Each structure stands twice: as structure tokens, then as C-alpha cells.
Amino acid sequence: MVGHATVWSVRTSRVVATDQVRDVLADTGALVRDAVRLAELTTLRVGGPALVAECASTQSLVATVRALDAAGIPLLLLAGGSNLLIGDDGFDGVVVRIATEGVRIDGDGVVAEAGANWDAVVAATVAADLGGLECLSGIPGSAGATPVQNVGAYGVEVADLLRRVRLLDRASGEIRWAEPAELGFGYRTSVLKHRDDAVVLEVDFALNAGGTSAPLRYGELTRVLEAAEGETRTAASVREAVLRLRAGKGMVLDAADHDTWSAGSFFTNPVVPHARVPEVRAAITARVGEVTIPTYPAEDGVKFSAGWLIERAGFAKGFPGPDAAARLSTKHTLALTNRGAATAADLAALARIVRDGVAERFGIRLEPEPVTVGVTL
């Protein structure tokens, strides 16, 4: 999931007063609200209270970040809140909510402001007969989050299509467009992740005119579309198939379905260095017998399926049971879900149990995908 592009900074340990923040932000255009429960702004629906400054324009966002930095006030940037686990104590500072929504179709591409709903961006490109982003349909979160996390699904990554990113450099105050080569893209990461000196303001993607999808690379999707690997289909038909597949896994937001009260895939698929692959395969075979182990090629090794490892380590869908406040999704073992009354502490405890169980059984340590604030895993 996206939202995920949350970049956060703690510049001082002191707690700021609401009146002080209102004075600092008086000329920025931000809407300041006190004692907002951050659970209301995240897809996991957990997170304690904070002072929130909502910015509906890029101009306001830039002015707000600059003003808070100049005043030495700690801030947390938050947009879609879909790849974020915030602690139950909330955040001692100002949560800057990125509420910019602009989306502009630009010839053979799209330019979106950081706060734009990601799936709405994808839908707009498909409606404009532009292909490329359709495999990223249904992912919750904001457009600005996507390059931070190098969001990917069904064989497509943001890095494949990104043309440039408009950034605010918090140290120098400079605003500029950065090229993909500067962003250090990797599997579900970039140089923008887990750092606080750059704020994504806009993203620009190069797409395919004529409504043709990106070449299909993911087996599950090619089977549904009855296509061979490398073939293309219309972007609209691929988007429809992706939304159907994601919904079946509880990966499309639905307030009535607690399986979607999640941060999406909680763990990334582990990449095992080539030298360790025989050892890992032997450990898996010793535990579960001779089976087909789902793996995928990766730049620095072999990628193993985190969901498959979790299930084979003894953590079934719905673990630890129907009475637990935090459970694995009943549809997908890779999602940790809030069943309605979970706390951040509940979710963190479940994450540790699953992570440590996989490590003990197979010798592979799973890494969390969401950004954590005030939570230790």
C-alpha cells in the first residue's frame, strides 16, 4: 500500500503548544486542528492524538514545512496514511497533512500533486487512454508516496514509469525536479524512504498513448487475462482484472471489511543473496518437505514469497484467531489487520511474532514495509 510516502522528522523533543503553532502557521494557509486522533487518518486505523495542519495547496504545504522547520517544531508528513503504523501515544509535534489533489493529463503522461488519491490518478490515466499504471490499480494511498516506496504490483514498479519528481529540499529551501537516476530505486525502496530532508510535491509519469497496457509479467494476472507473458491488453481490461484480484485478497479499501483495515502487505518479499539460496532452500525442504518454492529473480539474489513463508511457518490466515484484536487477514497472510479495536501495540506484537517465527523456522528475517512512528518492532 501507498501512504507510505510518509517522511517524518523529529527536530526537538519538546511538545509544542497549539497557540504557538497557530502563530507560526498564521500566514501559510494551513488549517490547524488540535487533538486529532491519527487513527482517523491511517488505513490501519490506529494512532494516538496529534496537532494537525492540513495543506490543500502545494504553496501552503511548502510554506508550512518551511515555517515549522524555521521554528524548530517537529513535524510528520502524512497523506494517504496507508503505509504507516503510528504509536498509540500519537505524535509530539505537528502532523502536516498533505491534502493537495491536482491531477493533470499531459500529452503522453500524467502529473499529480503529492496528496492526490493514487487510485484516482490511475483511473484518470486509463480513462484518458493512457497505459502503464493499470497494474497499480486499487493501491490505497497518495501519489506522492509512490516514488518514496517504489510502489509495485503485478510486475510493474513506479521506477519503470516515473519521469521525474518535484521535491522541496528542507535544508536549502530549494524546489526542483529530480530525475529517476537520482532516486536510487530498489525493491520497495528509494533514497527518499526513511529520510527527512526532502518533501515530494508532485510526480510525473510517462505513459503509453492508445490505452495499451504495460507488458504483462505476473503469472496470476496473465492467467486471469488468458495472455502470455509479455503480451499486452487494453489498460481498462487490465485495471478491471487487477481490481478484482486485489479485492479478493482484501487489498481494496472497504470500511465494512476488516480485512482491509491494514497497511497492505506488511512485510516485503525477502531477497536472499545467491550464496545463501541453497542453504535457505535446504532449510525450507527440511521443515515442509519437497515442495515447489515460489521464487522470483532479483537484482542481488533470489526473491522468496513472504506470504508463502509466513503460511508455511505455521501462521494461517486469520492467525491467531477470531477473538484477537489484531489478526492476519482472513484472505491474505501478508496483511496484518485491525479487527476494530486493535492498538498499535497489538499490531506490533503480532508483527514480531510472525517475523520471529519465520526467522526461527527458515532462517529468513522478514522486513516490515510500513513506516513506523513511535513503534518498535
Side-chain angles (χ1 to χ4, degrees), residues 255-282:
D257 182 359
H258 284 109
D259 277 333
T260 74
W261 291 29
S262 77
S265 298
F266 198 89
F267 297 102
T268 57
N269 292 320
V271 176
V272 176
H274 290 294
R276 281 204 64 216
V277 170
E279 168 196 339
V280 169
R281 286 187 177 276

Side-chain angles (χ1 to χ4, degrees), residues 73-343:
I73 296 174
L75 67 90
L76 165 68
L77 298 177
L78 185 149
S82 63
N83 202 50
L84 183 63
L85 176 58
I86 300 178
D88 299 312
D89 292 335
F91 181 73
D92 287 338
V94 178
V95 172
V96 178
R97 185 156 189 269
I98 304 172
T100 54
E101 298 180 346
V103 178
R104 184 176 78 255
I105 301 298
D106 183 18
D108 62 348
V110 62
V111 179
E113 291 183 315
N117 177 280
W118 175 247
D119 191 55
V121 174
V122 177
T125 65
V126 172
D129 283 332
L130 295 174
L133 295 178
E134 57 285 331
C135 284
L136 305 182
S137 294
I139 297 176
S142 66
T146 60
V148 177
Q149 189 76 10
N150 189 18
V151 167
Y154 296 101
V156 172
E157 290 184 332
V158 160
D160 300 330
L161 301 158
L162 189 72
R163 191 153 46 192
R164 55 184 185 161
V165 177
R166 192 172 177 223
L167 298 173
L168 165 65
D169 184 320
R170 292 175 64 182
S172 68
E174 178 188 12
I175 296 175
R176 69 180 184 90
W177 287 98
E179 304 297 321
E182 302 176 56
L183 302 179
F185 285 123
Y187 171 59
R188 299 299 175 269
T189 192
S190 74
V191 298
L192 298 171
K193 189 174 182 181
H194 299 300
R195 61 186 288 180
D196 67 1
D197 60 346
V199 180
V200 175
L201 303 177
E202 291 183 287
V203 292
D204 181 0
F205 291 93
L207 304 175
N208 308 320
T212 302
S213 75
L216 300 171
R217 303 171 185 165
Y218 197 83
E220 183 183 30
L221 184 58
T222 58
R223 288 191 293 274
V224 168
L225 291 167
E226 298 182 346
E229 184 175 346
E231 287 187 348
T232 61
R233 291 290 188 267
T234 65
S237 65
V238 175
R239 171 173 166 78
E240 181 182 351
V242 168
L243 287 173
R244 200 163 55 243
L245 287 170
R246 288 185 63 85
K249 299 173 182 178
M251 294 293 188
V252 177
L253 292 182
D254 179 353
D257 182 359
H258 284 109
D259 277 333
T260 74
W261 291 29
S262 77
S265 298
F266 198 89
F267 297 102
T268 57
N269 292 320
V271 176
V272 176
H274 290 294
R276 281 204 64 216
V277 170
E279 168 196 339
V280 169
R281 286 187 177 276
I284 293 173
T285 300
R287 292 285 192 172
V288 301
E290 294 289 344
V291 295
T292 300
I293 304 169
T295 59
Y296 313 92
E299 184 176 347
D300 300 318
V302 175
K303 187 186 300 180
F304 285 70
S305 166
W308 188 92
L309 291 169
I310 289 169
E311 195 155 0
R312 296 318 184 278
F315 305 108
K317 296 171 185 176
F319 175 88
D323 296 329
R327 297 164 55 191
L328 297 184
S329 167
T330 65
K331 302 180 181 73
H332 197 301
T333 54
L334 203 46
L336 275 63
T337 66
N338 176 358
R339 309 316 292 188
T343 63

Side-chain angles (χ1 to χ4, degrees), residues 266-270 355 365-370:
F266 198 89
F267 297 102
T268 57
N269 292 320
R355 178 198 62 194
R365 182 181 173 88
L366 299 180
E367 296 297 333
E369 189 166 337

